[in-house]
Amino acid sequence: MKKIIAIQSNKLNEINIETDTTFLLALEAQKKGYQIIWYETKDLNLINSKIYINGIKVRFFDRKKNFYKILSFVKFNLDEAKFVLIRQNPPFNMDYINSTHFLNNLKSTRIINDPTAVRNVSEKFFSTRFLKYMPETIITKNIKQIISFKKKHKKIVIKPIHGYAGKNILFFEKKVKVDYLKKYIKKFDHVMVQRYLEKVKDGDKRVFIINGKVKGAIRRLPKKGSILSNISQGGVAIKTKLNLRELKISKLVAKSLKKENIFFAGIDLVGGYLIGDINVTSPTGLPQYRNLTNINLAQFFWKEVEKLK
């Protein structure tokens, strides 16, 4: 088998090389002698029981301008790749789910993260296995239940079950706007509702989990006037360490994820609480961690991948 890695992601020209974890993983793979074939979900085809892609053979460069070169356009049997990386961004919709079904047909290629695991590990629902380490949390689409929860906890945060990147998050401090909430529920269906944590003003900690091991974390500070720490929402990464409670929670989640066959994940903590975001679809933050610590976890990633049987 040739040393080829196929990466299922978004458009090449959407890459932000300063923040893109996939770009960092691709660069490190090239250093190890792998060729990169890039494709999107629209490029997947099942023909004669084989999975073919209409992909792009590409070379990446560690520079700000002209950071990639398209070598050729190829029709490629994914079973001829050594590894496939699932790295496209959410939303986790039917297109995303269908892509995992395509990949389940591969016979000899290792897929990171495992497509069945990506389907089964709901990024919000999975966190409820650890409710004792979370702020008070309910999942519902019942307006009365949400209002009752608000009366009890005064300040609440509401998140779509399949939300991502800090989008569409509601914060209710005063009276709940029932009409607005009804429209929100109609659009997003079941939602996660949590007691608001005052510590969110100090940011969150994104923890990196690779092959069941807790490998580091960054602290993300929200911009002024915001409760959202996501880099895509204007958050700024700074160097941090995990305290004993945070490390305990992270190790428990890491152990559980490994059992579920999730190789690479990111979890978020605020004030010593797991806040219900366990990112398994396209974990981010490795470039920020490298810039802050001079530790390139992409190297550890590939070292661990190549040890898999």
Side-chain angles (χ1 to χ4, degrees), residues 65-110:
K65 292 184 178 181
N66 302 318
F67 60 87
Y68 71 87
K69 180 180 180 180
I70 295 175
L71 304 178
S72 61
F73 294 89
V74 295
K75 181 179 179 180
F76 180 72
N77 178 355
L78 281 181
D79 260 318
E80 294 180 9
K82 181 75 172 176
F83 304 107
V84 171
L85 300 189
I86 301 178
R87 290 294 308 172
Q88 79 267 28
N89 295 328
F92 190 70
N93 52 19
M94 282 309 302
D95 179 67
Y96 213 121
I97 291 170
N98 287 338
S99 75
T100 66
H101 286 296
F102 273 106
L103 297 178
N104 274 138
N105 282 275
L106 297 182
K107 299 174 178 62
S108 59
T109 300
R110 170 70 69 168

Side-chain angles (χ1 to χ4, degrees), residues 278-297:
I278 298 180
N279 184 206
V280 302
T281 50
S282 183
T284 61
L286 295 193
Q288 293 87 344
Y289 184 76
R290 180 194 61 176
N291 294 341
L292 292 167
T293 65
N294 290 319
I295 298 172
N296 186 356
L297 288 180

